[in-house]
């Protein structure tokens, strides 16, 4: 029997991530090959003609799972009864900017959209914030939606996670798919802490295999942390296809589960590892039955604690910087 369609809102649908994302959602890569979808696409008024062009292309793909498309510049319409909301629409940075430089430009978008989700989305909605600075924007949206469970709101660290996987695979000469138990802690920014201390490949310790703390501190962490800037430098534009891919991975794992495997999600802290409650922080999680759970009880050594403190402090500063948007 055919499943009822799930409603998926995507903001910034005319943008470059949107162009990589929509076709894969409609193809069933995110919610499953047996899951029909209705896309509810939001962008600003001047971008609506471009959204219509993208929708013409979606039609021309004749995706069997695509049961409908809504195009709108009204957040209330976009989020009406949605099961999943991908908040991508926001200005990207250009060369020389850090992601937090976007706070002023983008922060205000997320108060409006958080409120619109609060008033219109399904109570079980799964929200992923991609627009930068992603953690703080997700915090703003969550704080603007008091009637929704805070755990409805997540932010994207999966791109950092996937980048770290790929660097570890290159260093060890092992396939990406063989790596388990990798984690990325903190903010989606160069301060994030990609942590392979618990990672294994075919049961063997990645830390022992690499056995090179100098490489960890001075090559691996800066490479993963500054990868976004390296892409902007090389492409003249920020990551789009890899960002869309990470968004698909994040939501797919949240909805369909990870079978006990660890992934990284930015989620509201429950106080674990000393991270203040509701801070949107990258944690190792497992997902089952549509819920994520933090991997608890991991030992945090001195080097890791120092890195976690740095990324947490940055998030606290960002939070301080958006207080006025939240009337605090
Ligand atoms: N969290 C992550 O790992 C990553 C985040 N990003 C971020 O994703 C965001 C989008 O990137 P791109 O698609 O490359 O940018 P883009 O500039 O190509 O597209 C952004 C789209 O958002 C729309 N938009 C602007 N304000 C809006 C609003 N209030 N409501 C709805 N739509 C609105 C624009 O009209 C445009 O169509 C940027 O903030 C970028 O920094 C990018 C890569 C990775
Ligand atoms: O670097 C940027 O501005 C875009 C992004 O978040 C990433 O590629 O990680």
């Amino acid at each position: 029997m055919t499943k009822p369609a799930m409603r998926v809102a995507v903001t910034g649908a005319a943008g470059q991530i949107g162009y990589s994302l929509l076709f894969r959602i409609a193809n069933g890569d995110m919610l499953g090959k047996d899951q029909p979808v209705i896309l509810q696409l939001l962008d600003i008024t001047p971008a609506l003609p471009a959204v219509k062009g993208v929708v013409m292309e979606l039609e021309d793909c004749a995706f069997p799972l695509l049961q409908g498309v809504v195009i709108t510049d009204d957040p209330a319409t976009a989020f009406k009864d949605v099961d999943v909301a991908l908040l991508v629409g926001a200005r990207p940075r250009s060369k020389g900017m850090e992601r937090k430089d976007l706070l002023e430009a983008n922060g205000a978008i997320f108060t409006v959209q958080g409120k619109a989700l609060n008033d219109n989305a399904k109570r079980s909605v799964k929200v992923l914030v991609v627009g930068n600075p992603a953690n703080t924007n997700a915090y703003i949206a969550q704080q603007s939606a008091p009637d929704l469970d805070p755990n409805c709101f997540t932010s994207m660290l999966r791109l950092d996670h996937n980048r770290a996987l790929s660097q570890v695979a290159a260093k060890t000469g092992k396939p990406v798919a063989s790596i388990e138990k990798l984690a990325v802690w903190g903010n989606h920014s160069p301060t994030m802490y990609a942590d392979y201390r618990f990672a294994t490949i075919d049961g063997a310790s990645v830390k022992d295999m690499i056995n090179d703390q100098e490489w960890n501190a001075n090559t691996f962490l800066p490479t993963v942390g500054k990868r976004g800037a390296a892409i902007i430098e090389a492409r003249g534009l920020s990551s789009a296809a890899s960002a869309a891919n990470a968004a698909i991975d994040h939501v797919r794992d949240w909805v369909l589960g990870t079978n006990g495997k660890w992934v990284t999600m930015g989620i509201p802290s429950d106080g674990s590892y000393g991270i203040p409650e509701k801070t949107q922080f990258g944690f190792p999680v497992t997902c089952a039955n549509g819920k994520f759970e933090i991997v608890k009880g991991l030992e945090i050594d001195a080097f890791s604690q120092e890195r976690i403190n740095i990324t947490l402090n940055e998030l606290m500063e960002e939070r301080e910087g958006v207080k006025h948007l939240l009337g605090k």
Side-chain angles (χ1 to χ4, degrees):
M1 212 179 72
T2 316
K3 291 178 168 178
M6 286 175 76
R7 293 182 178 271
V8 179
V10 179
T11 75
Q16 50 153 5
I17 295 177
Y19 197 67
S20 285
L21 186 58
L22 297 173
F23 299 86
R24 292 194 55 196
I25 300 173
N27 192 42
D29 293 356
M30 187 171 83
L31 296 172
K33 297 287 184 190
D34 60 346
Q35 177 59 63
V37 289
I38 297 171
L39 290 171
Q40 307 196 165
L41 308 181
L42 178 74
D43 211 305
I44 53 175
T45 316
L48 290 185
V51 179
K52 286 190 182 126
V54 176
V55 172
M56 286 160 73
E57 284 205 69
L58 279 166
E59 286 165 5
D60 295 351
C61 294
F63 287 116
L65 292 172
L66 186 59
Q67 286 198 354
V69 183
V70 174
I71 302 172
T72 183
D73 56 6
D74 171 26
T77 308
F79 298 141
K80 187 77 196 144
D81 296 331
V82 287
D83 298 281
V84 175
L86 296 162
L87 307 190
V88 180
R91 196 182 134 188
R93 65 175 168 153
S94 38
K95 282 186 195 177
M97 290 172 87
E98 273 311 335
R99 297 183 188 103
K100 65 179 171 212
D101 298 333
L102 296 170
L103 256 189
E104 267 314 308
N106 290 341
I109 296 174
F110 293 86
T111 52
V112 174
Q113 295 187 358
K115 178 150 193 353
L117 283 160
N118 187 66
D119 295 347
N120 295 283
K122 281 214 180 122
R123 299 302 86 180
S124 57
V125 65
K126 290 179 164 54
V127 181
L128 169 62
V129 176
V130 175
N132 276 319
N135 298 52
T136 297
N137 288 337
Y139 173 76
I140 295 171
Q142 183 274 313
Q143 291 284 308
S144 306
D147 303 331
L148 288 171
D149 182 339
N151 284 346
C152 292
F153 289 86
T154 67
S155 48
M156 195 161 96
L157 274 97
R158 187 60 175 262
L159 185 52
D160 309 272
H161 181 98
N162 288 348
R163 286 168 173 163
L165 279 176
S166 172
Q167 294 299 320
V168 167
K171 178 75 174 169
T172 56
K174 302 284 185 186
V176 166
S178 66
I179 304 167
E180 295 200 31
K181 298 189 172 172
L182 189 84
V184 182
W185 305 88
N187 197 7
H188 173 60
S189 94
T191 66
M192 60 87 233
Y193 173 43
D195 183 0
Y196 58 72
R197 291 175 306 136
F198 309 103
T200 58
I201 294 177
D202 302 328
S205 157
V206 166
K207 184 166 180 266
D208 291 350
M209 245 180 247
I210 293 177
N211 193 23
D212 188 348
Q213 177 58 13
E214 202 276 328
W215 179 81
N216 180 29
N218 300 323
T219 302
F220 173 67
L221 290 173
T223 301
V224 178
K226 294 184 191 155
R227 187 69 163 187
I231 305 254
I232 293 171
E233 188 61 38
R235 235 170 64 85
L237 289 168
S238 69
S239 329
S242 56
N245 179 67
I248 298 264
D249 284 350
H250 176 118
V251 175
R252 185 201 55 224
D253 286 348
W254 190 4
V255 173
L256 299 176
T258 63
N259 289 319
K261 293 199 171 155
W262 298 15
V263 291
T264 300
M265 289 171 74
I267 57 169
S269 175
D270 63 357
S272 295
Y273 298 102
I275 308 304
E277 277 189 32
K278 303 228 174 75
T279 307
Q280 279 281 334
F281 202 82
F283 285 105
V285 300
T286 56
C287 300
N289 305 317
K291 292 195 178 349
F292 51 77
E293 199 173 324
I294 297 176
V295 178
K296 300 262 171 81
L298 299 173
E299 192 205 322
I300 305 297
D301 62 17
F303 176 80
S304 305
Q305 191 62 59
E306 194 186 319
R307 302 296 304 220
I308 287 173
N309 290 348
I310 292 171
T311 196
L312 176 61
N313 287 343
E314 182 181 51
L315 276 171
M316 292 295 130
E317 276 170 29
E318 290 183 18
R319 184 193 289 200
E320 195 59 29
V322 299
K323 257 181 166 174
H324 62 289
L325 293 173
L326 297 168
K328 292 193 177 180

